[in-house]
Amino acid sequence: MPSVTRQPFRTAVLVLVWGWLLFLVLAPNLLVVGASVMTRDPGTFIALPLNLDAYRQLFDPLYLEVFLHSLYMAAMTTLVCLLVGYPFAWALSKLGKQRQLLLIFLLIVPFWTNSLVRTYALKMLLATNGLINSALMSLGWIDEPIQMLYTEGAVIIGLVYLLLPFMILPLYSVFDDLRQELLMASHDLGAGRLATFIHVIVPLTLPGVLAGVMLVLLPAMGLFFVPDILGGSRNLLVGNVIKNQFLDARNWPFGAAASIVLTITMAILMLAHRLSKQRLGEGGAG
Amino acid sequence: MKKTLLSLSNLSKQFDGKNVLDSLNLDIYDGEFITLLGPSGCGKTTLLRLMAGFEHPDAGTITLAGQDLTGTPPEHRPLNTVFQHYALFPHMSVFDNVAYGLKMEKRPKEEIRERVDEALAMVQLQDFKGRKPHQLSGGQQQRVAIARAVVKRPRLLLLDEPLSALDYKLRRTMQGELKRLQRELGITFVFVTHDQEEALSMSDRVVVLKDGEVQQLGTPREVYERPANLFTARFVGETNFFPGEVESIHDSAITVDVFGLKRTLRRPDFPVRPGQPLHVLLRPEDIRVLDPADAQGVAGKIIERNYKGSTLDSVIQLEDGSEVLASEFFDEDDPAFDYRLGEPVKVSWVDGWEWLLPEEADESVHEDALTDA
């Protein structure tokens, strides 16, 4: 490409990228920050004066409890995803290339169906007269249907079901990069399987773990339709609180403050992820 | 008689039904520097991995100082490996990398610190303890890998093409350092390489491998000057092959017809009969380039000349079209000594400097070995 046309092209790309970031990322976030420090108004939703009431309201025992319960369910979801995803990704990386591609394809197929629809499908399975209960009863294993729907467990199952691929994919990527020579070196220097796992495999796959946690924990606090469909009134997520404030309670400043807390949590996790990668050096595991 | 440290007997290994090693026998002596040399795919890396315990033989045994190691996992073998790409743990500092093996042995902290310092001093990296591997150059990473392996004081050190990723100059320096380390530590070194020059300059003994079979086992001088077969002759160094035919046989000499010249040569170890075709091998430095008017020698003309600093390497085309490589040292009396292209010359050699090999059943298979080298 001649150098004369290169400069304008470069400028156009930069303008596009910066424009995108300014109007679609920075501006909306500033609006949220702005809304969070304003006062609730029944007519215009938000109004002056500026104050920190919304943030104070976050520490209201009622909401604090919702937050903590939400965090607990999100953490359980993340833990289950990690416990299932880690060995899954490890085993996946050990298969032949053909099989790896097939399994990753199967992992992605559910995304072709809307997650709301899939959550309703899960409801059909878990309901009192749903597939699981009917099957167990017709087998004679249980006499009465088990209460599965509208429990904390149902919400966690729903979240795990929707978010597991987001844990597996980054983990698969770090396991795929893990050089066999490093494991051989560890054994060669006298480490058994467990010591190699603790001292070599875990530290080298930690960036993948943190990436997976980031991709699961935060959405797990926000996916409000999962408790809506599976959880009943007591198992709320932060996402439900935010949604309710904007759509039902019409308390925009409080909704904005709640979503900022989520954003900050996300930022802290990203920072931790970055630090863990830096520890391994610019070239990652290379 | 030298003491055998590691003994491999009847080792066989197959991958996907293909023989990588076929009933291989090898005794490695205590304290020697032995090199496994061969083209890629000859089984040298597999052999090393069998010794380290990363692979298990389909048949055969490995014994170290009389103790059977065949079923022992790598973490319980008293030998260590320097990997081709160093395999340093990227998340650990230089110190922690070197200390890893000692920590696994649960040595006291004080002893670990002392021994790591000592090992790092040996490879002149004592000032780099706190660095991460990615902050080091290739040569420094290589030295950390060596320190990490020798700090455990293994009976045997396995080195898998450890210098192949370094540039030429650094490789020469590291060759010298490895030899020095081996002398100082008195550890047996098993070195894998496809570089014949490296093998000749570093080793006490060289094992030439092809298709999982030992082609020749001997000192560098034996392998170079008295190759056991055509493969070794072609793989190790440059060689001219002249076709010869046995004319007559005497007690300790035979008369051979080479390009119509009747030469009386040393009688070889293998059985000969009159009329038998054989190969007369001559290294380029053994070739004498003579004046075209000279009474002896085979006529040809110079078709290539390459100035190599200390030698003048030339290619001479003989009248039958075959080409001869000659490598001549510059001598002080005639510093301007040179050839012009097309210059007619005669080619000969001093009787006794040649090496004779019988014709082999299937000689075409050896050709691909040349491109591999």
Side-chain angles (χ1 to χ4, degrees):
Chain A
M1 197 187 286
S3 60
V4 197
T5 56
R6 199 136 129 207
Q7 273 325 85
F9 177 72
R10 199 180 124 99
T11 315
V13 168
L14 284 176
V15 165
L16 191 72
V17 169
W18 279 105
W20 182 283
L21 287 174
L22 280 173
F23 287 107
L24 298 172
V25 179
L26 190 67
N29 272 297
L30 283 177
L31 285 176
V32 176
V33 173
S36 73
V37 292
M38 290 175 83
T39 311
R40 180 184 179 188
D41 185 276
T44 58
F45 297 118
I46 43 174
L48 292 170
L50 299 178
N51 60 67
L52 289 174
D53 285 354
Y55 290 93
R56 230 167 267 132
Q57 203 180 343
L58 283 173
F59 293 97
D60 180 315
L62 182 73
Y63 288 113
L64 204 59
E65 201 183 314
V66 172
F67 269 97
L68 289 178
H69 187 59
S70 171
L71 191 65
Y72 164 75
M73 286 195 294
M76 286 307 288
T77 302
T78 312
L79 189 68
V80 174
C81 282
L82 188 61
L83 290 178
V84 176
Y86 198 85
F88 186 98
W90 194 348
L92 187 61
S93 74
K94 294 212 165 212
L95 294 175
K97 268 285 165 240
Q98 286 292 319
R99 285 189 167 191
Q100 285 187 19
L101 287 175
L102 177 72
L103 280 172
I104 290 170
F105 174 74
L106 289 177
L107 204 63
I108 290 170
V109 163
F111 286 107
W112 296 351
T113 309
N114 186 294
S115 51
L116 200 59
V117 175
R118 284 186 288 141
T119 311
Y120 272 109
L122 211 53
K123 186 176 183 170
M124 313 275 273
L125 283 176
L126 300 176
T128 312
N129 52 0
L131 278 174
I132 294 175
N133 273 324
S134 331
L136 290 178
M137 291 215 298
S138 63
L139 282 169
W141 290 3
I142 52 171
D143 299 326
E144 278 180 20
I146 306 169
Q147 174 68 39
M148 288 184 287
L149 204 55
Y150 309 125
T151 61
E152 189 183 287
V155 176
I156 292 172
I157 287 171
L159 291 173
V160 168
Y161 170 58
L162 292 178
L163 296 169
L164 185 61
F166 295 98
M167 181 62 87
I168 290 175
L169 291 174
L171 281 171
Y172 164 70
S173 152
V174 285
F175 273 115
D176 200 40
D177 282 348
L178 189 64
R179 284 166 47 212
Q180 286 307 304
E181 230 185 21
L182 293 175
L183 308 188
M184 285 196 219
S186 174
H187 289 300
D188 188 70
L189 293 165
R193 282 161 182 272
L194 184 66
T196 300
F197 179 73
I198 294 168
H199 297 291
V200 179
I201 297 176
V202 167
L204 289 179
T205 52
L206 198 61
V209 172
L210 286 170
V213 167
M214 231 159 56
L215 291 174
V216 171
L217 186 68
L218 268 297
M221 290 203 275
L223 286 178
F224 56 83
F225 59 87
V226 176
D228 275 356
I229 298 168
L230 304 173
S233 58
R234 277 179 304 127
N235 297 303
L236 295 178
L237 294 175
V238 180
N240 296 84
V241 175
I242 297 172
K243 187 200 98 180
N244 289 341
Q245 295 311 315
F246 278 101
L247 297 183
D248 308 328
R250 305 277 159 134
N251 188 346
W252 281 26
F254 183 57
S259 74
I260 281 168
V261 170
L262 275 191
T263 309
I264 289 171
T265 318
M266 177 70 136
I268 291 171
L269 277 175
M270 281 172 84
L271 201 68
H273 178 244
R274 225 183 121 95
L275 286 175
S276 82
K277 278 209 115 160
Q278 264 170 9
R279 259 166 44 95
L280 299 182
E282 274 86 12
Chain B
M1 189 62 205
K2 282 170 182 147
K3 218 177 96 207
T4 297
L5 178 63
L6 190 78
S7 181
L8 312 174
S9 49
N10 296 313
L11 273 193
S12 294
K13 180 73 189 173
Q14 291 196 334
F15 285 121
D16 304 323
K18 194 175 159 279
N19 265 339
V20 179
L21 291 179
D22 195 11
S23 192
L24 183 136
N25 289 292
L26 179 63
D27 280 346
I28 293 168
Y29 301 142
D30 201 4
E32 76 171 329
F33 194 124
I34 189 167
T35 298
L36 310 178
L37 174 68
S40 47
C42 72
K44 56 191 192 300
T45 296
T46 304
L47 191 55
L48 201 73
R49 290 185 170 193
L50 286 170
M51 294 186 211
F54 303 132
E55 304 280 357
H56 295 287
D58 298 329
T61 54
I62 303 169
T63 47
L64 186 115
Q67 184 200 350
D68 188 356
L69 277 190
T70 318
T72 312
E75 56 266 36
H76 295 132
R77 296 190 182 198
L79 39 87
N80 289 108
T81 309
V82 176
F83 292 87
Q84 188 172 8
H85 302 289
Y86 323 139
L88 298 179
F89 303 122
H91 55 296
M92 293 180 199
S93 66
V94 167
F95 182 92
D96 288 337
N97 262 285
V98 179
Y100 190 83
L102 298 176
K103 281 179 186 160
M104 291 305 129
E105 286 178 17
K106 305 217 176 349
R107 298 273 169 192
K109 270 213 165 63
E110 191 54 27
E111 184 192 337
I112 292 179
R113 206 183 48 76
E114 265 172 37
R115 283 172 65 176
V116 170
D117 283 349
E118 193 188 330
L120 284 174
M122 206 156 49
V123 295
Q124 285 120 46
L125 280 177
Q126 55 271 58
D127 299 333
F128 293 83
K129 266 194 274 190
R131 299 263 187 109
K132 288 284 174 65
H134 69 92
Q135 295 168 311
L136 301 177
S137 70
Q140 289 168 334
Q141 291 187 27
Q142 177 59 262
R143 300 220 290 268
V144 177
I146 293 165
R148 185 177 72 173
V150 299
V151 78
K152 301 242 315 173
R153 297 177 187 152
R155 300 291 301 271
L156 196 83
L157 193 66
L158 307 171
L159 302 105
D160 184 10
E161 307 214 20
L163 307 180
S164 62
L166 304 177
D167 65 54
Y168 179 75
K169 207 151 179 224
L170 197 53
R171 204 161 69 219
R172 297 303 295 264
T173 317
M174 286 303 299
Q175 286 175 6
E177 276 201 46
L178 278 176
K179 277 301 283 179
R180 175 183 64 82
L181 269 174
Q182 198 252 344
R183 269 196 312 271
E184 283 175 10
L185 295 166
I187 299 174
T188 308
F189 274 37
V190 181
F191 189 89
V192 161
T193 186
H194 61 265
D195 181 341
Q196 45 96 12
E197 213 181 310
E198 199 166 88
L200 295 181
S201 67
M202 298 179 76
S203 325
D204 296 323
R205 289 197 302 160
V206 177
V207 186
V208 182
L209 284 168
K210 189 194 127 227
D211 299 337
E213 286 176 39
V214 174
Q215 302 293 306
Q216 187 165 5
L217 168 59
T219 63
R221 182 176 287 257
E222 282 165 357
V223 168
Y224 187 77
E225 293 184 358
R226 285 177 272 151
N229 55 32
L230 291 178
F231 173 80
T232 308
R234 285 201 167 103
F235 190 73
V236 182
E238 305 253 36
T239 309
N240 294 300
F241 296 83
F242 292 163
E245 196 184 301
V246 180
E247 293 259 301
S248 57
I249 301 165
H250 320 286
D251 286 346
S252 61
I254 54 173
T255 308
V256 180
D257 179 322
V258 187
F259 294 119
L261 303 172
K262 311 274 185 263
R263 304 289 295 253
T264 304
L265 308 175
R266 219 176 337 122
R267 186 174 175 169
D269 296 339
F270 55 88
V272 281
R273 54 179 169 71
Q276 177 187 351
L278 39 72
H279 294 281
V280 180
L281 275 60
L282 284 155
R283 297 293 184 184
E285 61 272 22
D286 295 336
I287 296 285
R288 289 286 162 270
V289 183
L290 308 170
D291 192 85
D294 208 290
Q296 52 161 323
V298 193
K301 62 176 200 278
I302 303 278
I303 58 166
E304 227 182 286
R305 52 159 295 280
N306 294 306
Y307 174 74
K308 285 286 179 66
S310 54
T311 59
L312 182 71
D313 292 2
S314 48
V315 181
I316 297 132
Q317 190 173 48
L318 302 182
E319 276 159 356
D320 71 344
S322 61
E323 292 175 2
V324 177
L325 304 171
S327 178
E328 295 168 277
F329 276 95
F330 290 100
D331 85 57
E332 284 172 22
D333 302 334
D334 187 9
F337 150 70
D338 202 351
Y339 297 114
R340 76 194 144 69
L341 295 185
E343 185 177 333
V345 289
K346 276 192 167 177
V347 168
S348 185
W349 74 93
V350 178
D351 284 346
W353 287 9
E354 76 291 325
W355 181 249
L356 299 176
L357 284 176
E359 285 211 316
E360 289 174 18
D362 184 11
E363 299 198 342
S364 60
V365 294
H366 294 290
E367 292 301 332
D368 29 290
L370 276 178
T371 50
D372 251 346

